[in-house]
Amino acid sequence: MDEKLPALKMATTGLQHVAAMYAGVVAPPLIVGAAIGLSAAELTFLTGACLFTAGLATLLQTLGVWNIGARLPFVNGVTFAGVAPMTAIVATTDDKSDALPVIFGAVIVAGLLGFLAAPFFSKMVRFFPPVVTGTVITLIGISLLPVAFGWAQGASPTATDYGSATNLTLAALTLVIVLVLRRFTRGFVKQIAVLLGLVLGTLIAIPFGVTDFAPVADAAVIGFPTPFHFGAPQFQIAAIVSLCVVMVVSMTESTADMLALGEIVDRPADERTIAAGLRADTLGSALSPLFNGFMCSAFAQNIGLVAMTRIRSRYVVATGGGFLVLMGLCPMAASLIAVVPRPVLGGAGVVLFGSVAASGIQTLVRAGLDRDNNVLIVAVSLAVGIIPISAPEFYHAFPETARIILDSGISTGCVAAVLLNLVFNHIGKGTRDAQDVTHPMEAGEEISGAAGHQRAAAG
């Protein structure tokens, strides 16, 4: 992990990590920015800021300072877990110009509290087993899929071509391109299939007149994410609570990713490594709003890239972090994503967000769903988390401050999963073995024994 490769190989492999996570970094600012109604220039600025802060967080994680940073080939970027709560904050903010300051204030507090809690959280990993993390990751993907479906229909619900056959066709073509690239290519091309899908989808969209190159033409070649560009941070209790829950989710994901990465690079992550890694995550998140960025967390797709290429050097990932910083300092590079038509983003988003949900399902498969208690935990937590998606007005009678939390299926689902896991798998475990509980869809023992046989015979 401490090997320094030749300059050319260091650069190309570092760019590969950037390519693997680029779409994931720019998606959250696009979603939140669209919800607020930012202009193309402001959206470009927000995207560049998120690239810049992701680079800083990655450098902090890989190179480390004092007891901060896992010093693993660990990529950090804007976490998907915060998107749904942030859009809920936007929806409940009357003056949309205050939405980003409120979000930034909540991220700062959540980051600082997370930094203080990091050493204690590293001791509490047992309360976040795969049945909890898998449920939360699945909910993240499910919660974001409606965003992809909205993108596929067009830029704005008020537009005359919203949901038109042209827009849906462009989304479908982009989806097909990504799938074909993933199926029939290998190595680097396969890894950047989503990015190539966005490029090819944009080129296909040009003849249809839905591609706007004005953001690139208006963007400067060199720029800096001005601190607090969107206003000084504001601190609202409901928003802070909501993003503190997201911070717990983010720390849980990062812990799981550090454990997995430690196994891949043959340096198992111990309690000290996890605590140092969580400090980098949370400090990076607390500093991110200073430069107009969002909460940062681990990117699991880059862990897959380390496993596939077998290039374990943390300096390779640090090089990728350096490229992210440079992209954030070049508004023209950041503006390229603003050129991509929303239907094209929607087609790629189906793969991107669906993959997040699939990753959660993979974790659940390893969670021991043959244990009946775990089935109940997943069933109820998913149901609670899906409420805001399937029934958006379910909590309409609650105060707006409460709805910031309740309207985030990720937050409510996470809380439900943690509490249910405590009730079913920890409290009273000595007197009631989880293995003795019947499956919720099966008959209980009292009716499946002698009485059950009598009924069968009578039948």
Side-chain angles (χ1 to χ4, degrees), residues 88-416:
I89 292 172
V90 172
T92 55
T93 303
D94 294 330
D95 187 350
K96 299 306 179 188
S97 63
D98 289 333
L100 282 175
V102 169
I103 290 171
F104 291 151
V107 171
I108 290 172
V109 174
L112 293 176
L113 291 177
F115 183 84
L116 296 175
F120 306 101
F121 192 91
S122 64
K123 301 178 185 293
M124 299 174 62
V125 180
R126 66 191 183 94
F127 294 112
F128 297 90
V131 69
V132 174
T133 57
T135 300
V136 174
I137 295 171
T138 301
L139 280 172
I140 292 172
I142 293 174
S143 297
L144 292 175
L145 278 172
V147 175
F149 302 149
W151 282 349
Q153 295 180 80
S156 171
T158 60
T160 56
D161 64 343
Y162 189 75
S164 66
T166 299
N167 287 345
L168 297 182
T169 300
L170 288 173
L173 286 174
T174 304
L175 174 59
V176 169
I177 290 171
V178 174
L179 294 176
V180 168
L181 289 172
R182 290 290 299 177
R183 174 63 182 85
F184 296 105
T185 62
R186 293 183 178 182
F188 184 59
V189 174
K190 183 175 182 178
Q191 192 65 40
I192 62 171
V194 173
L195 189 60
L196 291 176
L198 292 174
V199 173
L200 295 176
T202 301
L203 294 176
I204 294 173
I206 292 175
F208 294 94
V210 295
T211 305
D212 182 13
F213 290 96
V216 177
D218 297 336
V221 177
I222 300 175
F224 185 80
T226 311
F228 300 129
H229 175 80
F230 295 97
Q234 299 179 23
F235 303 95
Q236 295 185 5
I237 296 298
I240 290 172
V241 172
S242 180
L243 289 187
C244 280
V245 173
V246 174
M247 179 56 72
V248 173
V249 175
S250 175
M251 294 170 74
T252 303
E253 289 181 49
S254 291
T255 299
D257 288 338
M258 275 185 274
L259 292 171
L261 186 58
E263 294 296 325
I264 291 171
V265 300
D266 297 326
R267 189 184 293 181
D270 55 17
E271 186 178 303
R272 182 177 178 180
T273 300
I274 292 173
L278 292 178
R279 287 191 188 98
D281 265 13
T282 53
L283 182 60
S285 295
L287 295 176
S288 187
L290 174 65
F291 301 104
N292 312 283
F294 298 141
M295 189 178 294
C296 295
S297 181
F299 266 51
Q301 58 263 48
N302 291 85
I303 294 175
L305 185 57
V306 172
M308 182 185 69
T309 62
R310 307 300 295 172
I311 298 175
R312 305 174 179 182
S313 172
R314 61 191 176 104
Y315 294 105
V316 165
V317 175
T319 301
F323 281 124
L324 287 171
V325 170
L326 292 176
M327 292 174 70
L329 295 175
C330 179
M332 183 172 289
S335 70
L336 290 175
I337 194 64
V339 174
V340 181
R342 290 293 170 83
V344 173
L345 277 174
V350 170
V351 177
L352 189 64
F353 304 151
S355 296
V356 176
S359 177
I361 294 171
Q362 287 178 327
T363 303
L364 287 175
V365 169
R366 301 192 300 269
L369 292 185
D370 54 323
R371 297 179 59 187
D372 304 318
N373 284 353
N374 286 348
V375 173
L376 286 170
I377 293 169
V378 175
V380 175
S381 300
L382 285 178
V384 170
I386 292 174
I387 287 175
I389 304 171
S390 58
E393 299 301 318
F394 189 83
Y395 299 112
H396 73 278
F398 285 75
E400 285 191 4
T401 52
R403 290 189 62 182
I404 291 178
I405 301 172
L406 296 174
D407 282 344
S408 168
I410 298 170
S411 299
T412 54
C414 176
V415 172

Side-chain angles (χ1 to χ4, degrees), residues 16-34:
Q16 185 170 236
H17 275 284
V18 173
M21 54 95 75
Y22 183 83
V25 173
V26 300
L30 283 174
I31 298 170
V32 177

